């Protein structure tokens, strides 16, 4: 191989090495994800009450969720804090949840009831809205898409799970009874935990 050929080969190698060194790395830019389904009709049919705001629950200060009434992103702790709130964690696939949600809705419209807020977990927004509409449940509900609220409350595996959040923001898992079977069950638990401090 002649000297000129060697220098030409070296020059080609240097050009290739230089191109590799400056070539952009990483994934190609991706298009933004397509928008989700239009939930306007499902939200109208569900006719949920808007999500309230309060002072905050410390264990949920970083937990974000979607208000099912309007799709707004909210800090879950601010939805539950500042006043007594009965929080019910449910899922669309949970059969006992389908029995309990209407009882909670009936309780929520009764005299002296504390505010009730639902949290749909492991569920799609449209499915959650359709179920709430079919059951006639109108109290405020959140959608916990990524489990932040579930982790913050330390929700047990078995659903439904209900919590009483005191005005100071402390959340207590209701274990007696674990599943509400009547509106009287709900009233009894709230009276036992909150008493006259509503």
């Amino acid at each position: 191989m002649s000297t000129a050929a060697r220098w030409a080969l070296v020059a080609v190698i240097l050009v290739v090495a230089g191109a590799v060194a400056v070539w952009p790395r990483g994934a190609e830019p991706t298009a933004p994800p397509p928008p989700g389904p239009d939930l306007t009709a499902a939200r109208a049919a569900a006719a949920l009450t808007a999500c309230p705001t309060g002072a905050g629950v410390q264990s949920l200060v970083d937990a974000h969720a979607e208000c099912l009434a309007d799709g707004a992103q909210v800090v879950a702790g601010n939805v539950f804090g500042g006043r007594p709130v009965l929080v019910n964690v449910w899922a669309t696939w949970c059969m006992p949840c389908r029995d309990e949600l209407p009882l909670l809705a009936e309780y929520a419209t009764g005299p002296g009831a504390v505010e009730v807020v639902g949290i749909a977990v492991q569920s799609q927004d449209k499915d959650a809205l359709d179920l709430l509409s079919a059951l006639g449940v109108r109290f405020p509900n959140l959608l916990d898409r990524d489990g932040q609220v579930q982790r913050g409350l330390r929700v047990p595996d078995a659903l439904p799970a209900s919590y009483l959040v005191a005005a100071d923001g402390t959340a207590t898992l209701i274990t007696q009874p674990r599943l509400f079977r009547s509106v009287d069950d709900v009233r009894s638990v709230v009276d036992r935990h909150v008493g006259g401090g509503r």
Side-chain angles (χ1 to χ4, degrees):
M1 180 181 269
S2 71
T3 304
R6 285 186 199 161
W7 282 111
L9 182 60
V10 168
V12 169
I13 291 172
L14 288 174
V15 168
V16 171
V20 169
V22 297
W23 197 265
R25 296 202 175 25
E28 291 291 317
T30 58
D38 182 6
L39 298 174
T40 305
R43 289 187 202 291
L48 297 175
T49 303
C51 294
T53 58
V57 173
Q58 193 59 36
S59 65
L60 297 173
V61 71
D62 294 323
H64 292 82
E66 177 183 323
C67 178
L68 281 171
D70 58 11
Q73 291 298 309
V74 296
V75 175
N78 291 344
V79 172
F80 309 139
R83 71 230 176 271
V85 179
L86 178 59
V87 176
N88 180 257
V89 183
W90 61 277
T92 54
W93 49 261
C94 165
M95 289 303 131
C97 299
R98 293 170 184 250
D99 295 331
E100 190 174 74
L101 282 165
L103 297 174
L104 293 167
E106 184 179 343
Y107 164 79
T109 60
V114 299
E115 189 165 13
V116 178
V117 176
I119 306 171
V121 298
Q122 304 166 13
S123 302
Q124 296 298 314
D125 44 13
K126 175 127 177 38
D127 297 340
L129 287 164
D130 289 347
L131 178 62
L132 293 170
S133 179
L135 295 175
V137 173
R138 303 288 184 248
F139 57 79
N141 271 269
L142 303 177
L143 177 64
D144 184 21
R145 286 187 188 275
D146 58 9
Q148 290 182 20
V149 179
Q150 233 179 326
R151 287 187 298 277
L153 286 174
R154 295 186 179 103
V155 174
D157 292 334
L159 293 179
S162 293
Y163 294 80
L164 262 167
V165 179
D168 67 2
T170 56
T172 304
L173 175 65
I174 305 302
T175 58
Q176 294 296 323
R178 185 69 172 78
L179 177 66
F180 296 124
R181 300 197 184 282
S182 70
V183 175
D184 287 337
D185 282 352
V186 181
R187 281 192 197 107
S188 175
V189 164
V190 171
D191 287 345
R192 188 169 59 243
H193 286 274
V194 179
R198 297 177 201 172

